[in-house]
Amino acid sequence: MFIDLAKETHLTRLDKAIKHSTRALRPFRDNRSKLIKDYVGSQYGSQNYDRQEIIQNLMYQTAETYTMALAANRPRCLITSLHPELTWFANQFQVAINNLIKEIKLEETLRAAVLDAFFSVGIVKVYTAEAGAVQLGDEDEWVDPGKPYAENISLDNFVFDMQATKWSQIRFALDKYHMPFEKARQDGSLDQKIVKDLLPSQDYSTWDDQSDEESVKELHGAEKAQDSITPRIQLMDVWLPANKQVATFAVNKMSKPLRVVDWAGPERGPFHKLSLTSDVPDNIMPLPPAMNLKGINDIINGLLRKQRAQAQRQKDIPFYQDGSQDDARRLQQASDGEWTRVGNPESVNVLKMGGVDQGNQAFYHMMQDMFDRMAGNLSLMAGLGPQSGTLGQDKMLHGAVNKREANMQYRVIRFVADICEDLGWLLWNDENMEIPGETEVAGIKFDRTWTPEQREGDFLQYNFDIEPFSMMYKSPSERMNNITQFLTQIALPMQPMMEQYGGQIDIQALTDIYADLMDMPRLRSIIMFEEPKEDRPGPTPESPPQPAHTVRESVRKSVPTGGNDQSRSNVMQQILQGGQPNQQQMAQMGRERAG
């Protein structure tokens, strides 16, 4: 539905819709705040001291593991064109966008969005930020060209159409922010007739002041600011898909927009939503992973608090029967290993009281395993230790974990691709911005600085594709294994063909790479080269290639494990029913379960 921003009736309907969605989002904001409280633990900020103590912070561990698994590294764009003649320029534009991503530190924004999506929903806003003034030519004229930018938006400062059942069907979305009052008075893009009637705001509360939960930014326990060094006003940017416009209003004052900007970019608009799980039918808000884990997390910490209290109440009380005072005194004074005479050994004993209940302890281990499973085999995802006895089995387990992560990875990659496409569109339409860059080929550096004059064709002729693996964390050992695999499976078997085209394997460069990845600088002292790399002649074509020879050795060993889920469950049931498992069954409960 098109909204006429010049009609008061249309603005009134928009204002009512915004207030309705604000109320509808209240339980989701409150629940997000509770989940983040579990994430920060019971010692963060003064407001958390009156809460039940969190002994084992599984929510923090899970959130950190998900963030590293989904957004560990900076994303890289691969750009292709539908027209072969534009291939070279597509590569030039690719260098510019990747340099822009590096300059605005997009990876930090994406990590924050993934972390938000773990608790509720991640929101990223793509817009043109300030980049300082530039001079046009030799004229005394200065303009602010702006810079394409991506910013993470907190749910506490975000409202969208809650009557829609799909994100593609929303009628509006907006974020609230503060702007220095003096800057607003100097901003020529804002309607100064409205700005002069605004008063600086000292209220830094969230959208929903009627909520029982404090906002996430108030978890540190400090009082709300009643004054500010720099007077500010509260504004909100409202995205209207039907209008293809972004309108800026003063908060709680919908009489007239301060600014209206036409959006000529992709139809999805400047706001991007990320959810890590499948959508809830007929609802626009997703079901975040943390919500599914909170119940088990509460049970585990409740059991730990109870077991701690039981352990603290445990005590050993020596006692003796009437008339056995002499036996008790001699035993009390005897040293370790000393022979002592007693009249009746059974008249003196030690009474043990309290202690951790075995049933509670068994139930705790069962809940621990259940949390790990519900989180998607968290132990393996976090790299907390091998889950099986062999490397091959660990790889198989890791492949299964990747299948569990596939849905989240797909959503994050699609989310990042949309953001990068919007950044590319903003960069394409910026008439002044330059992105410095260079590439090196065969030791020769080429200037790849992006300038608006280099634009060729139409923006829609280029097809963006995000390289998925650039965002996943790879340890130095994984990178080293990839190099080794390439050498043994591709380079060495194809070495004769490679030498026909003048190719060779640089052993010195390979040694340097391995020394860096293995963090073993002394490796360079073991393998010595008489001549520097640049002065060393290449291999002669006449020399016969060395045959590749690979020796494979299979070693099978028995490794004790914690048993599978079924065997562990049987032991748990036996304990809870008052049974007495044998020593072997109890020993397996203290080990990691089998994959």
Side-chain angles (χ1 to χ4, degrees):
M1 173 183 172
F2 181 83
I3 299 177
D4 191 343
L5 298 176
K7 291 184 178 181
E8 185 175 352
T9 55
H10 285 214
L11 292 177
T12 301
R13 287 199 298 264
L14 177 61
D15 184 51
K16 290 182 178 179
I18 291 175
K19 291 179 179 179
H20 173 270
S21 293
T22 301
R23 293 190 297 269
L25 280 168
R26 180 185 305 169
F28 295 98
R29 290 199 179 94
D30 292 347
N31 189 64
R32 173 176 177 265
S33 179
K34 294 176 182 177
L35 293 173
I36 294 180
K37 283 182 179 179
D38 290 339
Y39 165 76
V40 300
S42 52
Q43 304 300 320
Y44 184 88
S46 60
Q47 296 292 330
N48 277 1
Y49 286 139
D50 58 347
R51 300 179 64 241
Q52 289 185 321
E53 184 178 2
I54 296 178
I55 301 176
Q56 187 175 7
N57 198 334
L58 294 172
M59 299 294 275
Y60 171 82
Q61 178 182 340
T62 308
E64 288 292 290
T65 301
Y66 279 25
T67 303
M68 287 299 296
L70 300 174
N73 298 320
R74 180 184 304 123
R76 289 180 294 167
C77 289
L78 294 177
I79 302 179
T80 57
S81 174
L82 300 177
H83 304 279
E85 64 273 12
L86 298 179
T87 300
W88 179 89
F89 172 74
N91 183 263
Q92 179 84 359
F93 194 40
Q94 172 180 307
V95 173
I97 290 184
N98 287 331
N99 288 336
L100 174 64
I101 291 174
K102 179 180 180 180
E103 183 177 349
I104 66 176
K105 298 180 180 179
L106 181 61
E107 66 276 10
E108 297 180 3
T109 300
L110 297 177
R111 291 192 196 108
V114 170
L115 185 61
D116 276 344
F118 175 75
F119 301 109
S120 179
V121 61
I123 302 294
V124 169
K125 179 183 179 183
V126 180
Y127 62 99
T128 300
E130 293 182 340
V134 298
Q135 186 176 13
L136 296 180
D138 298 330
E139 301 178 2
D140 189 17
E141 182 179 358
W142 295 77
V143 297
D144 186 352
K147 177 195 297 183
Y149 196 74
E151 179 184 7
N152 185 65
I153 305 296
S154 170
L155 187 64
D156 284 343
N157 295 323
F158 190 71
V159 174
F160 55 92
D161 186 9
M162 288 292 289
Q163 292 185 339
T165 59
K166 297 179 180 179
W167 183 255
S168 59
Q169 298 174 351
I170 61 172
R171 296 169 297 172
F172 65 87
L174 59 98
D175 71 310
K176 183 181 71 171
Y177 57 94
H178 290 90
M179 175 182 288
F181 185 60
E182 190 62 30
K183 177 182 175 181
R185 296 177 59 183
Q186 297 176 0
D187 192 337
S189 65
L190 300 178
D191 189 338
Q192 293 300 316
K193 294 181 181 179
I194 303 177
V195 173
K196 70 178 183 179
D197 294 333
L198 300 178
L199 296 176
S201 172
Q202 305 298 343
D203 180 15
Y204 292 88
S205 60
T206 60
W207 280 105
D208 194 357
D209 296 330
Q210 299 178 4
S211 173
D212 295 333
E213 291 288 330
E214 70 268 17
S215 66
V216 174
K217 66 180 179 181
E218 295 168 356
L219 288 179
H220 54 78
E223 296 181 357
K224 293 182 179 180
Q226 300 299 323
D227 196 4
S228 175
I229 299 176
T230 304
R232 299 183 177 187
I233 59 175
Q234 290 182 309
L235 303 178
M236 58 182 183
D237 288 340
V238 184
W239 158 242
L240 302 171
N243 296 36
K244 293 187 177 181
Q245 291 176 325
V246 178
T248 302
F249 293 89
V251 173
N252 298 326
K253 192 171 183 180
M254 297 284 293
S255 58
K256 188 179 179 181
L258 283 79
R259 173 178 57 200
V260 178
V261 178
D262 293 332
W263 179 265
E267 295 182 358
R268 54 182 166 266
F271 295 109
H272 300 264
K273 181 177 75 75
L274 172 64
S275 60
L276 296 181
T277 56
S278 300
D279 298 330
V280 178
D282 299 330
N283 284 270
I284 193 171
M285 284 298 291
L287 180 66
M291 192 178 297
N292 291 327
L293 300 174
K294 177 173 173 56
I296 304 179
N297 179 72
D298 292 345
I299 292 175
I300 290 174
N301 280 277
L303 288 170
L304 285 175
R305 288 191 293 266
K306 187 170 185 177
Q307 292 179 54
R308 180 182 61 182
Q310 291 175 344
Q312 291 173 342
R313 290 195 302 267
Q314 191 274 335
K315 54 185 178 181
D316 295 343
I317 304 176
F319 67 93
Y320 59 90
Q321 293 180 352
D322 290 340
S324 302
Q325 296 88 341
D326 294 339
D327 287 350
R329 185 179 302 108
R330 283 192 291 270
L331 290 174
Q332 182 184 26
Q333 296 175 354
S335 301
D336 181 37
E338 180 181 354
W339 289 88
T340 305
R341 178 178 61 85
V342 293
N344 182 10
E346 296 181 356
S347 65
V348 182
N349 207 332
V350 176
L351 176 64
K352 293 183 177 292
M353 299 183 61
V356 178
D357 182 78
Q358 290 186 352
N360 289 339
Q361 190 174 16
F363 186 55
Y364 160 75
H365 286 292
M366 186 169 68
M367 290 294 99
Q368 184 87 351
D369 290 343
M370 185 180 295
F371 185 96
D372 189 87
R373 289 291 185 181
M374 287 289 293
N377 204 342
L378 188 65
S379 299
L380 187 59
M381 289 176 59
L384 299 180
Q387 302 295 299
S388 63
T390 64
L391 177 62
Q393 291 176 355
D394 270 346
K395 289 183 176 180
M396 293 175 61
L397 287 175
H398 190 65
V401 172
N402 285 338
K403 293 179 182 178
R404 295 288 300 272
E405 296 176 13
N407 183 41
M408 292 189 296
Q409 289 178 352
Y410 171 79
R411 289 173 174 271
V412 172
I413 291 170
R414 188 66 263 164
F415 174 73
V416 175
D418 293 342
I419 292 174
C420 291
E421 183 177 354
D422 283 3
L423 290 173
W425 175 78
L426 291 174
L427 178 62
W428 181 276
N429 289 277
D430 194 307
E431 298 180 355
N432 299 286
M433 188 174 184
E434 295 185 359
I435 303 292
E438 64 178 16
T439 57
E440 183 175 348
V441 180
I444 303 177
K445 294 183 178 181
F446 296 90
D447 184 20
R448 305 297 294 273
T449 299
W450 163 262
T451 61
E453 293 78 13
Q454 295 175 338
R455 289 176 294 189
E456 296 183 13
D458 186 82
F459 178 77
L460 299 178
Q461 293 176 318
Y462 298 91
N463 179 25
F464 282 75
D465 186 19
I466 302 301
E467 181 183 351
F469 301 104
S470 66
M471 295 182 61
M472 296 177 61
Y473 173 75
K474 290 184 179 180
S475 64
S477 60
E478 288 180 302
R479 298 176 186 273
M480 185 180 65
N481 290 336
N482 290 339
I483 295 175
T484 303
Q485 186 176 7
F486 172 79
L487 288 173
T488 56
Q489 297 184 6
I490 298 179
L492 292 178
M494 299 184 64
Q495 187 174 3
M497 183 182 301
M498 182 172 56
E499 291 179 351
Q500 292 180 3
Y501 293 93
Q504 58 178 313
I505 299 176
D506 194 326
I507 303 300
Q508 184 174 358
L510 186 63
T511 302
D512 292 337
I513 293 175
Y514 271 67
D516 293 336
L517 294 179
M518 297 170 63
D519 193 19
M520 296 178 59
R522 295 181 180 179
L523 189 62
R524 297 183 176 91
S525 302
I526 299 176
I527 302 179
M528 304 293 295
F529 296 89
E530 296 181 357
E531 298 181 6
K533 176 181 175 181
E534 53 273 9
D535 298 334
R536 189 173 63 252
T540 58
E542 294 79 9
S543 58
Q546 296 294 328
H549 182 64
T550 303
V551 178
R552 297 182 181 272
E553 180 180 2
S554 299
V555 179
R556 175 178 294 182
K557 62 178 181 178
S558 299
V559 179
T561 68
N564 56 29
D565 290 341
Q566 183 177 2
S567 64
R568 293 172 70 91
S569 179
N570 291 335
V571 177
M572 292 292 182
Q573 295 297 326
Q574 187 176 352
I575 294 175
L576 294 175
Q577 294 174 4
Q580 295 294 330
N582 58 41
Q583 185 177 2
Q584 182 179 1
Q585 289 175 321
M586 293 302 300
Q588 81 170 9
M589 300 304 297
R591 296 191 290 263
E592 292 287 346
R593 69 174 183 272

